[in-house]
Amino acid sequence: LIGRPANMWRYRELMPLLPGDEPVTLGEGFTPLLHAKALGATLGLDRLFIKDESLNPTNSFKARGLSAAVTRAHHLGATTLSIPTAGNAGNAMAAYAASAGLAAKVFMPKDVKTPFIRECELYGADVTLVDGLITDAGRIAAELNAQHGWYDVSTLKEPYRIEGKKTMGYEVAEQLGWTLPDWIIYPTGGGTGMVGMWKAFAEMSALGWIDPVKRPKMVTVQAANCAPIVRAYDEGTEKARPWEGATTIADGLRVPRAIGDFLVLRAVRESGGAAVPVADADMVPGMRDLGRFEGISAAPEGGAALHALRVLMAQGRITPADRVVVFNTGGALKYLDVLD
């Protein structure tokens, strides 16, 4: 990997690129894995690391999946891309579509925060606001996709976003010297990041890059008021029932039904991990702690992941001897209102 780009395309041989293809890239990936010494000291955890995805283009981990998806769509000859989104995925798709010279159609719930809408428009996207949740936006987008022949880049409606998200797993391994942590704590909406990392660990094992047996315990974190995967985990089912009345300050966690829920549940169970619901009131203190102890700009999703760590430590599942990676999937700038 010497001389490779300092972004996720350093793993291009394992990505959906054909010979002669070049990626549509804005420098996404290879985000810092920060040793959170000050925050860890308050928790009694010497080996706490924060994977800070807020430093990606468009301020979130969504840049990874959309870079890969737009790259493949561009090389397949697509001219117009379509996505339903709660916010960050729409921003990322719009930015990469602009970079590739493609038209972007973005469908969002009408109550999303204004910065998400304005950023999509900044990149030239056509934004449609929908009365309802992301599932309603997805339904309307699908109807228009069928009518107009737009290329659908919504979660798990194409295979390439997972390929971008899996690079988080490769990076964590590389940044830890080709070893894996004991725990990965990950805020989960649609779940492509969890599914992608679990895929990455299997690939690295097959390549002989990591221990063929050891895997992190995977923790899925959801908002208490929108926790279909947590409920399915607790009930022992393979798929999740849609969540009614989903409300949360974490837009990325307001996903009442994830298409890949069974894949997320499989990763959690196979790893011996956990599924943790977090109340909105506990997300904001987590955001503040990531900021004041480590200087990290954390979205509510990152605050939720930090609170889940506290829950698992209080239960005795995570011990001071463990090496833990907490994911902050996006930045605070689009969520400053929740700090009031």
Side-chain angles (χ1 to χ4, degrees):
L1 295 173
I2 294 174
R4 289 284 173 156
N7 59 40
M8 76 176 194
W9 294 100
R10 68 198 285 105
Y11 312 113
R12 61 173 294 149
E13 289 84 359
L14 299 160
M15 299 286 283
L17 284 179
L18 298 177
D21 287 353
E22 288 301 322
V24 178
T25 178
L26 296 170
E28 59 291 327
F30 226 73
T31 55
L33 183 67
L34 302 169
H35 189 181
K37 295 179 181 179
L39 183 55
T42 70
L43 298 170
L45 199 60
D46 292 336
R47 297 193 298 168
L48 172 62
F49 296 85
I50 310 296
K51 184 67 168 160
D52 188 7
E53 291 290 290
S54 73
L55 298 180
N56 276 301
T58 69
N59 205 213
S60 89
F61 73 133
K62 297 291 187 180
R64 295 178 184 269
L66 273 304
S67 173
V70 173
T71 292
R72 195 73 248 129
H74 174 60
H75 289 298
L76 289 171
T79 58
T80 302
L81 309 183
S82 166
I83 194 169
T85 176
N88 277 319
N91 293 164
M93 190 274 267
Y96 287 96
S99 180
L102 306 177
K105 306 289 184 179
V106 177
F107 297 83
M108 293 176 157
K110 68 179 184 181
D111 60 350
V112 301
K113 293 178 172 55
T114 299
F116 290 119
I117 301 169
R118 296 291 177 260
E119 187 170 350
C120 287
E121 294 172 342
L122 174 69
Y123 303 127
D126 178 21
V127 178
T128 299
L129 299 180
V130 174
D131 187 9
L133 300 173
I134 189 172
T135 45
D136 301 296
R139 175 178 47 79
I140 293 171
E143 293 170 358
L144 292 172
N145 294 342
Q147 290 177 29
H148 301 289
W150 298 336
Y151 188 102
D152 185 353
V153 292
S154 57
T155 301
L156 291 175
K157 292 298 181 69
E158 53 81 65
Y160 307 115
R161 284 176 65 176
I162 282 180
E163 295 300 301
K165 294 284 189 66
K166 79 180 182 184
T167 60
M168 294 186 293
Y170 279 91
E171 288 177 21
V172 166
E174 183 177 354
Q175 289 168 320
L176 292 176
W178 300 109
T179 62
L180 297 178
D182 298 296
W183 294 82
I184 286 179
I185 302 180
Y186 190 82
T188 306
T192 53
M194 178 79 78
V195 176
M197 283 191 285
W198 199 239
K199 182 176 189 286
F201 300 148
E203 291 178 353
M204 284 187 282
S205 176
L207 289 165
W209 289 7
I210 61 172
D211 185 312
V213 177
K214 185 180 186 301
R215 294 287 186 278
K217 293 180 175 64
M218 306 295 287
V219 179
T220 184
V221 181
Q222 295 201 294
N225 289 331
C226 185
I229 294 175
V230 174
R231 180 173 63 188
Y233 177 82
D234 291 341
E235 292 175 348
T237 59
E238 293 186 5
K239 291 187 65 66
R241 290 178 284 118
W243 192 273
E244 299 293 334
T247 59
T248 175
I249 61 171
D251 289 285
L253 300 183
R254 195 169 62 157
V255 180
R257 180 179 180 272
I259 292 173
D261 53 8
F262 66 102
L263 296 171
V264 176
L265 288 161
R266 186 181 303 167
V268 173
R269 288 173 174 144
E270 287 179 357
S271 71
V276 181
V278 176
D280 284 12
D282 292 319
M283 295 180 192
V284 175
M287 294 171 68
R288 292 188 182 279
D289 283 349
L290 285 163
R292 68 192 180 103
F293 285 110
E294 300 296 339
I296 292 171
S297 172
E301 293 85 348
L306 179 60
H307 184 76
L309 168 62
R310 288 192 164 101
V311 170
L312 292 169
M313 292 192 74
Q315 293 173 352
R317 294 201 61 186
I318 293 180
T319 70
D322 288 332
R323 182 164 61 172
V324 180
V325 172
V326 171
F327 270 81
N328 174 44
T329 50
L333 293 180
K334 299 168 190 176
Y335 288 98
L336 294 180
D337 61 307
V338 307
L339 299 175
D340 290 339

